[in-house]
Amino acid sequence: MAVNTVRPQVNRPKANTVRVVPQAEQPRPAKPPRQKGTSLFELLDRYTKVDWFFAEGLPVRYLPKVLFLMVVVLFYIGNTHYAERTLRQIDKTKAETEDLRADYTTLKSDYMEASKQSEVARNVAPYGIVESSTPPIQVVLKKDEY
């Protein structure tokens, strides 16, 4: 059972018993007062003078404005984080694009080199294929033949 739940009391027999009276705590000795102006918060309290703002209690009428400002600030912080993450992704994508562009240029130059007539002739020579030494013949047809 959870600690914060109500537990049933144990059925004790009803009888006249002596009640235990708790002893009063002994008062602690008073601490000597601290020197004024030694802590940061005391300095802020001395120079900001906002005690008048809370003189009649917490001003609830300003609560919607404060909550709105908190939401705007949280939105601003989230937007900043989103923008920074987007910039990091853009930089990463630019670096990948540059790598892919370099690979493309290298592969394109290798392909252009391999597709030259002399390179093709050298690569197919082991299979017994040789370059033709005679020029191609043009076939001329008359209109009536076809």
Side-chain angles (χ1 to χ4, degrees), residues 69-80:
L69 285 176
M70 287 174 57
V71 167
V72 168
V73 166
L74 286 175
F75 177 76
Y76 179 74
I77 291 170
N79 192 25
T80 304

Side-chain angles (χ1 to χ4, degrees), residues 62-128:
Y62 298 116
L63 195 59
K65 295 174 185 172
V66 170
L67 290 175
F68 175 73
L69 285 176
M70 287 174 57
V71 167
V72 168
V73 166
L74 286 175
F75 177 76
Y76 179 74
I77 291 170
N79 192 25
T80 304
H81 285 294
Y82 175 74
E84 288 178 0
R85 184 178 66 215
T86 304
L87 287 175
R88 282 193 300 270
Q89 287 177 349
I90 289 171
D91 291 340
K92 182 180 173 184
T93 306
K94 280 184 181 179
E96 289 177 4
T97 304
E98 290 299 321
D99 290 343
L100 291 173
R101 186 178 321 217
D103 291 343
Y104 168 75
T105 306
T106 305
L107 290 173
K108 183 178 177 183
S109 66
D110 289 345
Y111 175 71
M112 294 299 284
E113 180 69 25
S115 64
K116 287 183 180 178
Q117 183 178 356
S118 58
E119 289 294 320
V120 172
R122 187 177 335 129
N123 288 335
V124 296
Y127 300 112

